[in-house]
Amino acid sequence: MASSLSISRAWDETREIFRRDGGLLVSVALALIVLPEVVVGIVSPPQATVGADAPASMQLLRLAVALISLIGQLALIRLALGPSTTVGAAIGHGARRFPSALGAVVLLIVGLAILAVPLIIILSLGLGVDLEHLSGPPSGPAALMFGIIGLAALIISVRFTLVSPVASAENIGPLAIIKRSWRLTSGNYWRLLGFILLLIVATLILMMAAGVVGGLLARMFSPSIEPMSIGALILASFAGAAQGAFSILASVMLARVYAQAAGQSENIEEALR
């Protein structure tokens, strides 16, 4: 029988790890999460190009930033799991585990997309949504359809919460990572669902606060946020800092939840030794 996870214990361990190794965590986040986010924010501010309207070069740049951030997350998890190591070694570890982690993410995306196709067809027929004319703001039925699909994706994704920690901690391939996450989350679905919802709320609050404060300061220097401007730099810096802070929190918490699920630690002292 799977042992019950303690999110409060993971939080206590996260605070202790940050107290001890906060400088290392911040260094990794600055190099692999904050700096890339700032660069892309300066070159292509959010207000300038959004989603499908962005040039292909900007979409590729954002994809590159997302891939670099994945390496950063794997490195942060390595630091949180112990034993203690250097920033360079943690980043090197993240780079080595990156192909397997990326493979697992791609498999999950493909699997969810395959499951989503029949659901989209059923919902579009039931709600009367015209799939061929979905450009622009979604109508009421379309918004409901997307909401149901998002909720279904959230419900399913809970069982894959530990994909990143497994990818960082265990020398296994993409499919084995997915299977391992599924096994480790068995018996703890509702705790993990609550944990994910808390993370979603935290990131929404953090990103909204960074956007509001950064936007106000940016417009003190420039009425409009143009690429390569001081305003874009300020806004991107706040957004990057918020993303970095959230990545540290989420990565370390996930690492400590994984440590409990995998039975790797009885206490924080042993885990960091």
Side-chain angles (χ1 to χ4, degrees), residues 175-215:
L175 186 58
I177 289 172
I178 293 173
K179 292 179 178 178
R180 176 71 165 154
S181 176
W182 183 273
R183 288 196 298 269
L184 290 177
T185 55
S186 176
N188 290 285
Y189 181 88
W190 296 109
R191 285 184 177 84
L192 290 172
L193 176 60
F195 171 59
I196 292 174
L197 291 175
L198 285 175
L199 284 181
I200 291 174
V201 171
T203 190
L204 287 175
I205 293 175
L206 191 60
M207 298 306 294
M208 287 177 61
V212 170
V213 176

Side-chain angles (χ1 to χ4, degrees), residues 19-268:
R19 184 184 67 81
R20 297 184 180 190
D21 295 324
L24 300 178
L25 296 168
V26 170
S27 296
V28 170
L30 284 174
L32 297 181
I33 297 171
V34 177
L35 180 58
E37 288 286 346
V38 171
V39 170
V40 75
I42 294 174
V43 175
S44 178
Q47 293 89 339
T49 53
V50 179
D53 295 330
S57 59
M58 290 300 100
Q59 294 187 36
L60 288 175
L61 180 59
R62 288 168 182 167
L63 175 60
V65 169
L67 297 179
I68 294 172
S69 295
L70 178 57
I71 297 176
Q73 184 183 36
L74 297 172
L76 290 170
I77 291 170
R78 167 62 184 86
L79 289 171
L81 287 174
S84 296
T85 187
T86 64
V87 169
I91 293 175
H93 173 84
R96 288 191 298 273
R97 294 303 301 151
F98 170 75
S100 294
L102 179 60
V105 171
V106 170
L107 285 177
L108 284 176
I109 292 174
V110 171
L112 289 174
I114 292 173
L115 292 175
V117 169
L119 180 59
I120 291 174
I121 294 175
I122 293 172
L123 289 174
S124 64
L125 293 175
L127 296 173
V129 177
D130 186 357
L131 296 178
E132 296 183 357
H133 301 86
L134 284 178
S135 59
S139 61
L144 177 59
M145 181 183 73
F146 289 132
I148 294 173
I149 293 171
L151 179 60
L154 175 63
I155 291 172
I156 296 173
S157 65
V158 172
R159 295 300 301 270
F160 305 107
T161 304
L162 300 181
V163 161
S164 292
V166 170
S168 182
E170 304 183 20
N171 189 24
I172 54 180
L175 186 58
I177 289 172
I178 293 173
K179 292 179 178 178
R180 176 71 165 154
S181 176
W182 183 273
R183 288 196 298 269
L184 290 177
T185 55
S186 176
N188 290 285
Y189 181 88
W190 296 109
R191 285 184 177 84
L192 290 172
L193 176 60
F195 171 59
I196 292 174
L197 291 175
L198 285 175
L199 284 181
I200 291 174
V201 171
T203 190
L204 287 175
I205 293 175
L206 191 60
M207 298 306 294
M208 287 177 61
V212 170
V213 176
L216 290 174
L217 290 177
R219 285 178 172 80
M220 291 176 62
F221 293 87
S222 175
S224 61
I225 309 300
E226 300 294 336
M228 308 302 294
S229 65
I230 295 296
L233 172 61
I234 295 173
L235 185 60
S237 298
F238 273 85
Q243 183 64 44
F246 172 75
S247 295
I248 293 175
L249 172 63
S251 298
V252 178
M253 284 287 290
L254 284 172
R256 301 319 308 164
V257 169
Y258 163 81
Q260 290 184 47
Q264 289 190 350
S265 69
E266 291 300 323
N267 53 61
I268 193 67

